[in-house]
Amino acid sequence: MTSSTPFAAATLAGALILAPPVASARDYDAGTLHIGDPWIRATPNAAPTAAGYLTVTNHGKTADRLLGGASPLARAIEPHTMSMTGGVMRMRLAEGGSEIAPGATLALAPGGDHLMLIGPKRPFKPGERVPATLRFARAGAVKVEFVVRTGPRPGEMSMPGIGAH
Ligand SMILES: [Cu+2]
């Protein structure tokens, strides 16, 4: 072929990389667990926490638990659960982690259970990726990348001093 081929290939590769208008997260497999679409809600300046969401499907025969995780961009990652107390949704630490029963999918989504990134080192901007290591009771440590999005914001859900998630 002529010398124009490498140029054409490079142009095509560039177009493919630049094409997606919205940052999408990838999925991950860890043993019998399938982790889908990890994302974090974009945070304003000086936000003390950020909420992370994903799904975990357990294709195995034994229950596992999502215990939390770590990220170089936050002080800690905790599993949080939501509950209704006196007509107000509140979140608290999921003691012992969030269970993923055999054959079940744990769905962490806005308005419900979530991962809480405590003490973000800086604001998370839409489109950027936040590396993290999730920790499971059985599957162990699993490296993922959360994609930062604006996402839907649920109604009034609060924890004193922390704000909406
Ligand atoms: Cu929380």
Side-chain angles (χ1 to χ4, degrees):
M1 285 297 287
T2 68
S3 60
S4 69
T5 303
F7 176 77
T11 303
L12 180 61
L16 288 173
I17 291 166
L18 296 172
V22 175
S24 58
R26 51 163 292 204
D27 290 2
Y28 301 84
D29 286 298
T32 58
L33 299 182
H34 182 81
I35 299 165
D37 193 30
W39 67 281
I40 291 171
R41 186 196 306 284
T43 52
N45 291 334
T49 60
Y53 308 106
L54 47 73
T55 60
V56 185
T57 301
N58 186 350
H59 294 294
K61 293 186 165 22
T62 311
D64 205 339
R65 305 184 77 81
L66 175 55
L67 303 174
S71 169
L73 295 182
R75 200 167 68 242
I77 301 179
E78 298 178 349
H80 279 194
T81 186
M82 303 291 281
S83 60
M84 191 69 86
T85 309
V88 179
M89 285 291 274
R90 293 189 185 283
M91 65 175 189
R92 59 184 167 77
L93 183 66
E95 298 286 349
S98 300
E99 186 176 75
I100 315 119
T105 295
L106 170 69
L108 304 184
D113 295 355
H114 54 274
L115 287 168
M116 191 103 276
L117 286 81
I118 312 291
K121 301 271 165 70
R122 56 176 173 75
F124 296 141
K125 304 282 186 233
E128 76 169 320
R129 288 164 193 274
V130 176
T133 302
L134 301 178
R135 210 156 45 83
F136 293 90
R138 295 183 62 86
V142 181
K143 282 190 190 305
V144 302
E145 265 188 345
F146 287 87
V147 169
V148 180
R149 293 187 204 138
T150 49
R153 180 170 283 281
E156 289 304 303
M157 292 168 196
S158 65
M159 187 180 200
I162 293 197
H165 299 287

